[in-house]
Amino acid sequence: MTDTSTDPSGIPEPDGAATPIDTDYNIGQDNVEGSVGPIGFDIHNPVFMTSGVTIIVFVLLTLLLPDQSGAVFSWLFDTVTKSFDWLFIGAGDIFVIFCLFLIVSPYGRVRLGGVDATADYSYIGWFSMLFAAGMGIGLMFYGVSEPMSHYSSAMGGITLENGARTDWAPLAGAAGNEAEAVRLGMAATIYHWGLHPWAIYAVVGLALALFSFNKGLPLTLRSAFYPIFGERVWGWTGHAIDILAVFATLFGLATSLGLGATQANAGLSELFGVPFSTTTQVVLIMVITGFALISVVRGLDGGVKILSEINMGLAFTLLAFVLIAGPTVAILTGFADNLMAYFEYLPALAVPFGREDVNFSQGWTSFYWAWWISWSPFVGMFIARVSRGRTVREFVTCVLLIPSLVCVLWMSTFGGTAIHQVLNDGYTAAQEAPLELKMFKMFDMLPLSSITSLLGIVLVIVFFVTSSDSGSLVIDTITAGGKVDAPVPQRVFWCIFEGTVAIVLLLSTGGLASLQSMVISTGLPFTIVLLVMCYAIIRGLATEPRGS
Amino acid sequence: MFSKIMCPVDLAHAAKLTRALQAAADLGTQYDCPVCYVGVTGETPGAVAHSPKEYTAKLAAFAAEQGAQHGHKVTSHACISTDPSADLDKQLLAAATTLDADLIVMASHIPGLADHLWPSHGGQIARRAKASVFVIR
C-alpha cells in the first residue's frame, strides 16, 4: 500500500485527506463492452460468465436429477451446520468484539470518503435502506414463530436418548418455569437477530466502503483483500471471491423470493380464500419481480430509497398497531426484561465449544450465522454504497446498535404478543399454525384483523421488492467489475434472472431446500473471507487520516 | 441567439462524441458564448476516475482541451450521483437548469427497437428540457 496523498502523480484524494491505494489496475480494464442486438452491456467477463453459467448448471441439475441433488444438498447442509458450528459461533463473537472495538478506538474518527466528505442521505433515508435490505422479510416470517419455538422448547426442558440431548431447548432450557422459559426464549431470539448479524453486515459494509471511497478501488468484495493479496487480487484470487459473492447473493435472494411467496400466499389464502398453490406463488413472484424491475430501473434514489421508506413506514405502522392493540404494558415491560435476559444469557449462548444444546446451537444458531454470513456481501455492499460521508464510529454504531434495538422491539412486540395470547388467553392457534401462517393467526386475536393481515401481506411483498431490487443492483455491480454506471438493462437482466431461478426451483421437488443448502454452504468459505477482512480493515484504517 | 450552451459528455467514450463536440464548439464560436461540458459520475471509483474530485479535475481538463482545440470559451460542470446509470437524465436536466443553459448539444444513437424499452438519453432530454436541444446522431 502506498500513500499517494502527497504525490501529485498519484490518484487525487477523495474529499479531503485520505490515503488511496496506488495500483496499476484500471477499473473496467477486464470488462467487455458491446451489445446483444440493440441492448448494450459492460461486464467483467470472468465473474459474469462463470457465475451465470454455474447458476444455470446448478438449476438444471436440481431439475433433472432431483433425488441425487437432494441427497447431496441434504448432506451438505448437515455437514456445514453441524461440523462447523464452532467456527460460525466463534466467528460471530469475533465480529461483534471487532465492531465494538472500532466504535471506541481512534479508528472510529476516520470518515468514509475522506475527511471532508458529507453524507448523501438523511438518517431516516439511510437507516430505512440499510434496515430494509438487512432484515426485511425475516422479521415477518420469524417475528412470531421464533420466540414461540424457543419458549415452547425451553418449557419442554431437556430430553436425553443414549446420553445425547434430543430436545431443541436453548442452553439448559427452563422446564416447567413459565417466566424463565419466556426470558430464555426471547434472549435466544434476540441473540439471533441482534448484535451478531448486524456485526457481520457492518464488517462487510465497512470494508467495501473504506476500500472503495477512501482507497479508490472498485466497489467489489475483492478490493478489501488488496492489503493481503496485493495486485493478485485482480486475478483469479479476486475473481473467486467475487463469484462466491454472486452465488451467495443470488441463491439467497431466490430462496427469499420463494419463502416470501409462500407466506404471502398463505396470508391471501387465509384472508381472501385464494388457493394455496404453486401457481399462485409463481404469480406472486412475477408480481414482486415486476415491481422490483420498476424500482431498479428508477435507480437508488428514485426506486430503492422510496420503497425502503414506504417499507419502514408500513412496518412501523404495523408495529405500533400491535403494540397498542396488543398487551401494551406486557410488551413494554417485556422489552426491558428481554434486553436484560439477552445480556444475561449472551455469554452462555455465544460459547462456541462444548455445547450440550446441540440441536439449538447447530440447528438454529449455526444455521442463522451461515445464513447471515452468506447474505453479507449483498447487504454489506448495499450499505456501503449509501454510507459515504459517515465516520467509522457513526457507521458501526448505527449499523450495529440501532437495527439491533429495532429487532428487539419487533420480536418483543410480535413474539411477546403471541406468547401472551397462549399464557393469558389460552389462545394457541398461532402456536400450532404452520410457520408462514403464525403471524396472521396472532393478528386474528387483535381488533381489525382483516386490515392488519392485509397490511402484513403488503409488507411481506414490499419487503421482497426491496430485497430483490437492491440485490439486483449489488449483483450487477459485482459482475460489472465494480462499475456502478453499467447499462441499466444489465440490472434488469439480473432481476429477471433471480425471479426465474426462484420460479424454476419452486416448481421442482425440493428445489427451495436445495437453494437453502447452497446459501448455507456459501456461508462457510465466506466466514473465513470475513475473518480475513477484519484484519484487512485494520490495515486499511491504520493509514487513514482521522478527523478531530 | 444563445448565451450558454451545455454539452453533456461521457468521458469514458469521448472518442464517439466527435461530431457533437465539433457542433457544440462551432455553435459556441458562432454565438460567442461559452460551452459548458457536463459529465455525470458515481461516488465510487469508476473507469474514468477514482473519486468525484478526480473526475471533476479530468472533466475540467477535457473542457480546457476542447477550448484549446476549437478556440471557443469553455467551462465544465460535474454532477455526482449515487446511481449514475439510472439518474443520468435527471442529473443532466438539473444541470441545464442550474447552469441556465439555453441550448443543449448532445450525441445520441440512431433510434431502434430497444428505444421503446429504454429511450435514448438524447431523446429523453429533448422531450423534457426547457432549453432547445440539438441531438446529433
Side-chain angles (χ1 to χ4, degrees):
Chain A
M1 217 184 304
T2 311
D3 183 342
T4 59
S5 57
T6 54
D7 175 4
S9 65
I11 300 164
E13 310 97 275
D15 291 335
T19 54
I21 288 173
D22 190 11
T23 170
D24 296 333
Y25 183 79
N26 290 317
I27 296 166
Q29 72 174 37
D30 295 329
N31 280 28
V32 179
E33 283 187 66
S35 59
V36 178
I39 296 174
F41 62 83
D42 183 358
I43 53 171
H44 188 285
N45 214 22
V47 174
F48 185 94
M49 291 309 284
T50 312
S51 47
V53 169
T54 313
I55 289 163
I56 291 169
V57 168
F58 163 80
V59 172
L60 287 178
L61 278 178
T62 311
L63 282 179
L64 299 174
L65 304 167
D67 294 337
Q68 292 88 332
S69 60
V72 170
F73 289 129
S74 172
W75 170 81
L76 204 58
F77 186 90
D78 281 352
T79 306
V80 170
T81 52
K82 290 181 181 170
S83 305
F84 295 96
D85 56 333
W86 59 272
L87 178 65
F88 288 123
I89 296 173
D93 298 340
I94 290 171
F95 299 140
V96 173
I97 293 166
F98 179 71
C99 286
L100 294 175
F101 162 74
L102 287 180
I103 292 174
V104 297
S105 78
Y107 296 139
R109 298 203 305 271
V110 172
R111 190 173 289 277
L112 300 171
V115 290
D116 298 332
T118 50
D120 295 320
Y121 296 100
S122 66
Y123 275 110
I124 295 285
W126 182 51
F127 176 65
S128 301
M129 283 194 281
L130 67 91
F131 189 76
M135 285 297 161
I137 196 63
L139 290 176
M140 304 296 288
F141 213 78
Y142 294 105
V144 170
S145 67
E146 191 173 343
M148 189 71 93
S149 296
H150 295 326
Y151 157 74
S152 302
S153 54
M155 272 293 280
I158 295 172
T159 52
L160 294 167
E161 204 174 288
N162 299 326
R165 275 180 67 172
T166 54
D167 61 275
W168 283 76
L171 302 175
N177 186 342
E178 214 165 64
E180 204 50 39
V182 173
R183 293 185 80 238
L184 181 55
M186 292 306 297
T189 307
I190 295 167
Y191 171 54
H192 291 152
W193 291 85
L195 296 175
H196 283 72
W198 287 99
I200 293 167
Y201 295 154
V203 166
V204 181
L206 180 61
L208 285 164
L210 175 70
F211 284 92
S212 183
F213 295 136
N214 296 53
K215 305 294 182 187
L217 300 184
L219 186 69
T220 63
L221 269 292
R222 69 174 80 196
S223 296
F225 295 88
Y226 190 92
I228 294 154
F229 297 118
E231 294 293 320
R232 275 179 299 154
V233 89
W234 311 122
W236 273 99
T237 309
H239 298 347
I241 294 169
D242 283 351
I243 289 166
L244 205 58
V246 174
F247 286 166
T249 306
L250 194 122
F251 289 137
L253 282 170
T255 314
S256 294
L257 275 173
L259 289 176
T262 316
Q263 192 181 23
N265 191 180
L268 287 171
S269 178
E270 178 84 355
L271 205 58
F272 302 113
V274 173
F276 187 82
S277 65
T278 43
T279 312
T280 313
Q281 288 159 27
V282 167
V283 171
L284 278 167
I285 292 178
M286 288 165 76
V287 170
I288 290 168
T289 305
F291 281 121
L293 275 176
I294 297 170
S295 178
V296 288
V297 171
R298 289 180 61 88
L300 257 179
D301 288 349
V304 180
K305 179 171 161 263
I306 292 173
L307 269 179
S308 298
E309 285 176 351
I310 292 172
N311 204 339
M312 281 292 283
L314 287 176
F316 275 102
T317 306
L318 196 61
L319 183 70
F321 176 80
V322 177
L323 190 63
I324 294 163
T328 311
V329 177
I331 292 170
L332 290 176
T333 50
F335 175 73
D337 284 349
N338 297 337
L339 259 182
M340 288 201 300
Y342 169 60
F343 287 113
E344 186 186 319
Y345 283 112
L346 182 62
L349 288 166
V351 170
F353 300 105
R355 294 289 287 263
E356 288 179 359
D357 53 347
V358 283
N359 280 336
F360 173 80
S361 61
Q362 293 173 353
W364 278 101
T365 309
S366 182
F367 165 78
Y368 262 125
W369 272 211
W371 182 273
W372 299 135
I373 288 169
S374 64
W375 267 75
S376 63
F378 154 46
V379 182
M381 182 173 286
F382 186 72
I383 292 175
R385 199 163 159 180
V386 296
S387 300
R388 191 175 189 273
R390 306 283 175 192
T391 62
V392 168
R393 182 167 296 135
E394 196 179 12
F395 177 90
V396 178
T397 307
C398 288
V399 174
L400 192 65
L401 300 183
I402 296 174
S404 296
L405 277 175
V406 175
C407 284
V408 176
L409 182 62
W410 187 279
M411 292 297 181
S412 298
T413 306
F414 279 63
T417 302
I419 292 173
H420 189 271
Q421 288 171 348
V422 174
L423 297 181
N424 296 65
D425 310 325
Y427 175 78
T428 56
Q431 194 176 20
E432 289 155 7
L435 202 64
E436 62 270 15
L437 263 181
K438 283 183 190 291
M439 182 182 72
F440 299 109
K441 291 291 180 192
M442 183 270 280
F443 288 155
D444 281 349
M445 272 293 279
L446 302 177
L448 307 170
S449 64
S450 323
I451 297 173
T452 46
S453 293
L454 186 64
L455 188 61
I457 295 167
V458 172
L459 200 50
V460 168
I461 292 172
V462 180
F463 262 127
F464 272 100
V465 176
T466 51
S467 291
S468 179
D469 59 11
S470 43
S472 306
L473 282 178
V474 165
I475 298 180
D476 181 39
T477 306
I478 301 173
T479 55
K483 290 176 82 171
V484 295
D485 56 355
V488 172
Q490 264 173 235
R491 54 178 80 166
V492 169
F493 164 79
W494 283 112
C495 194
I496 294 172
F497 195 63
E498 280 157 29
T500 311
V501 171
I503 288 172
V504 170
L505 290 162
L506 192 72
L507 294 173
S508 69
T509 317
L512 278 177
S514 308
L515 260 184
Q516 212 165 15
S517 304
M518 282 305 289
V519 176
I520 298 308
S521 309
T522 49
L524 182 62
F526 245 101
T527 307
I528 311 291
V529 167
L530 259 61
L531 286 168
V532 179
M533 210 179 246
C534 291
Y535 171 68
I537 289 174
I538 292 295
R539 288 278 304 270
L541 285 174
T543 56
E544 280 298 305
R546 296 161 205 160
S548 51
Chain B
M1 193 160 139
F2 298 112
S3 59
K4 190 156 197 183
I5 298 172
M6 169 175 143
C7 182
V9 288
D10 176 359
L11 289 185
H13 300 100
K16 293 181 182 171
L17 309 175
T18 326
R19 278 155 54 82
L21 294 173
Q22 182 69 54
D26 290 349
L27 286 164
T29 307
Q30 185 180 340
Y31 293 107
D32 192 27
C33 63
V35 176
C36 181
Y37 295 89
V38 176
V40 181
T41 187
E43 297 187 316
T44 52
V48 174
H50 294 81
S51 66
K53 194 173 179 180
E54 185 188 7
Y55 182 87
T56 307
K58 284 193 170 179
L59 185 64
F62 175 83
E65 194 182 291
Q66 288 295 312
Q69 194 178 334
H70 301 285
H72 61 302
K73 288 180 272 184
V74 296
T75 57
S76 64
H77 178 77
C79 308
I80 317 299
S81 164
T82 46
D83 192 355
S85 292
D87 290 345
L88 189 74
D89 298 341
K90 203 166 71 182
Q91 291 282 349
L92 291 179
L93 289 166
T97 308
T98 308
L99 297 168
D100 203 20
D102 46 13
L103 174 65
I104 301 169
V105 180
M106 70 185 293
S108 187
H109 58 261
I110 296 165
L113 198 63
D115 286 81
H116 294 286
L117 274 175
W118 285 284
S120 68
H121 298 300
Q124 285 292 88
I125 299 297
R127 257 184 59 193
R128 291 154 58 191
K130 287 176 190 157
S132 302
V133 181
F134 183 8
V135 179
I136 317 271
R137 295 202 163 107

